[in-house]
Every structure is written in structure tokens, then in C-alpha cells.
């Protein structure tokens, strides 16, 4: 209890891509803004905070004060990590584009037409990954305790196996402590020493 009370906590819940707290819904007009639209808009706002201090090549301009330079460094580090992790999942025939090509998040099909795919048109599994890692990288406070509920939702087996290494990479970069609840042992990549069987625990009481 002392440990938990001393930690800043951040919760990523299981219903993340349909959660009402993250979805704007007006019954009278049936207007709906999906979590993915919100994420893309948030990415655009992140970029707006620093774009005047970056060159077209996305490098930091010279002569900035320490505060502005630090903000740019954090943003570029987070953006690089986000792109690296999303790219590691190799979404089928799709490549992610972020700023400066596009001030938000979108994907381009690897076909002759190079058609654009917006994040709200991705599969549910792809949306889950985008949301989890966006929250971890851009939203979870540095050094916080992050609770993630069922990250395997809509994920096929190979993506589940990748999850542990990617979550470890983010945790290391942001000094996060992460607790995950899951029905899939693939999520922790066979590292049983890191797991607790809650069913076995319940039988003790």
C-alpha cells in the first residue's frame, strides 16, 4: 500500500478504443470521434508545440533556450520510439506516416496507388496497438506506475509475442513500472518468473 500510494499511476483499460471517456458522442447529431481520430489530433498538437523550433529535416534549430531545446528533444525521442515500435509490427501492406509528412498519424498502402489509410480505418488489432503505445509514450508520466488491462485484445499470436520486448523498451526509456493483466502467456513471452497466476492466488484465501 505504501508503494502504490507513493507512485503516480496511469491506467490503460481493456475497452480503450471504445471507452466513453475517450470518445466524443452527441446523440442528437450522431457525430462520433473515434479514439484514433483523437490520437491523430493529439499527435498534431504535440507537433504544434515544437514545430517552430525544428528544421524541415526534423532537427533542432540552433540557439534555442534550454527549455525549448529540452521540449524538442523529448518530442523527437518519443516520436522516434513510437514509429520504431509501430513499424516493428509490420501492419499488412501499410506504412505509418507522421509529421512532417502529415501532422498527425496516417498510413499509406504499399501498392501502386499508394492510397492513404487513416487510423480510424485500421483493423481493431492495429488500433489497439496504436492506442496502447501512444498512451505509454506520449501520455504516461515519466517514472509512473502503468496498469494495462488485456493488451492482447484483437492481437494475433506473433504480435502478442512481440509485446514484452516493446513494452520493456518503452519502460526503459521512460523509467516506467508496468503491471499487465492478461489471459495470454504469450504477452510476457514465456518469462513465467515475471508472472503471477491470479487463479492460484485466489485459492489461497
Amino acid at each position: 500500500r505504501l508503494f502504490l500510494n507513493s507512485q503516480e499511476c496511469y491506467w490503460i483499460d481493456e475497452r480503450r478504443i471504445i471507452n466513453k471517456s475517450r470518445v466524443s458522442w452527441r446523440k442528437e447529431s450522431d457525430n462520433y470521434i473515434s479514439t484514433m481520430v483523437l490520437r491523430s489530433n493529439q499527435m498534431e498538437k504535440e507537433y504544434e508545440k515544437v514545430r517552430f523550433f525544428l528544421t524541415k529535416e526534423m532537427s533542432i534549430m540552433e540557439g534555442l533556450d534550454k527549455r525549448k531545446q529540452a521540449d524538442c528533444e523529448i518530442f523527437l525521442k518519443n516520436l522516434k520510439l513510437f514509429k520504431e515500435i509501430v513499424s516493428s509490427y509490420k501492419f499488412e501492406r501499410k506504412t505509418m506516416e507522421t509529421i512532417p509528412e502529415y501532422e498527425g498519424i496516417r498510413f499509406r498502402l504499399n501498392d501502386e496507388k499508394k492510397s492513404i489509410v487513416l487510423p480510424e480505418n485500421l483493423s481493431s488489432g492495429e488500433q489497439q496497438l496504436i492506442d496502447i503505445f501512444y498512451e505509454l509514450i506520449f501520455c504516461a508520466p515519466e517514472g509512473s506506475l502503468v496498469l494495462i488491462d488485456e493488451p492482447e485484445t484483437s492481437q494475433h499470436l506473433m504480435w502478442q509475442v512481440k509485446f514484452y520486448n516493446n513494452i520493456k523498451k518503452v519502460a526503459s526509456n521512460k523509467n516506467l513500472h508496468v503491471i499487465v493483466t492478461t489471459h495470454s502467456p504469450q504477452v510476457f513471452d514465456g518469462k513465467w518468473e515475471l508472472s503471477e497466476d491470479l487463479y492460484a492466488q485466489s485459492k489461497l484465501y
Side-chain angles (χ1 to χ4, degrees):
R1 190 179 295 114
L2 285 172
F3 172 75
L4 290 173
N5 288 339
S6 69
Q7 296 290 303
E8 185 170 9
C9 291
Y10 190 85
W11 181 38
I12 302 178
D13 59 88
E14 181 268 334
R15 298 180 70 247
R16 54 199 150 258
I17 66 170
I18 57 171
N19 194 304
K20 289 183 180 179
S21 66
R22 299 184 193 155
V23 173
S24 176
W25 177 261
R26 296 197 298 275
K27 289 183 179 178
E28 66 276 8
S29 63
D30 285 338
N31 274 342
Y32 167 80
I33 302 177
S34 77
T35 301
M36 291 295 100
V37 172
L38 295 178
R39 291 288 170 249
S40 190
N41 291 343
Q42 286 168 342
M43 176 68 87
E44 187 175 355
K45 288 177 183 176
E46 291 286 333
Y47 177 56
E48 283 296 313
K49 293 176 187 175
V50 298
R51 73 182 181 90
F52 297 108
F53 313 124
L54 297 172
T55 67
K56 290 181 180 179
E57 293 74 32
M58 295 293 284
S59 60
I60 300 171
M61 291 182 178
E62 295 181 1
L64 296 179
D65 62 44
K66 290 183 179 179
R67 174 66 182 274
K68 291 174 182 175
Q69 184 166 338
D71 288 344
C72 289
E73 287 173 352
I74 291 169
F75 173 74
L76 291 177
K77 183 186 79 168
N78 287 343
L79 180 63
K80 180 182 178 182
L81 181 59
F82 182 63
K83 292 178 75 172
E84 179 183 323
I85 287 177
V86 172
S87 297
S88 76
Y89 287 97
K90 301 185 187 305
F91 290 1
E92 186 179 5
R93 301 184 299 112
K94 293 185 281 285
T95 302
M96 185 171 76
E97 292 183 342
T98 55
I99 50 178
E101 297 92 348
Y102 176 70
E103 295 180 5
I105 304 170
R106 72 178 182 185
F107 289 77
R108 194 175 290 277
L109 286 177
N110 302 325
D111 58 12
E112 292 182 1
K113 294 183 179 179
K114 302 295 181 186
S115 306
I116 291 170
V117 180
L118 296 177
E120 60 267 31
N121 295 324
L122 296 172
S123 72
S124 60
E126 291 167 338
Q127 289 188 37
Q128 295 281 1
L129 285 171
I130 291 285
D131 192 57
I132 289 172
F133 286 104
Y134 185 92
E135 290 215 46
L136 281 167
I137 294 169
F138 289 98
C139 303
E142 191 94 14
S144 60
L145 172 65
V146 179
L147 311 175
I148 307 177
D149 192 15
E150 298 185 22
E152 74 275 11
T153 302
S154 301
Q155 307 297 310
H156 63 65
L157 187 61
M158 291 306 296
W159 284 3
Q160 291 179 33
V161 171
K162 281 179 176 286
F163 185 78
Y164 172 76
N165 283 331
N166 281 331
I167 208 80
K168 187 177 178 183
K169 190 179 296 182
V170 177
S172 176
N173 268 268
K174 295 193 64 176
N175 189 30
L176 302 175
H177 300 280
V178 183
I179 297 176
V180 176
T181 59
T182 180
H183 295 282
S184 173
Q186 283 77 25
V187 162
F188 50 89
D189 197 19
K191 295 173 177 60
W192 292 95
E193 70 277 8
L194 300 177
S195 69
E196 290 288 344
D197 186 337
L198 297 184
Y199 177 71
Q201 290 282 329
S202 69
K203 293 171 69 175
L204 298 175
Y205 301 98

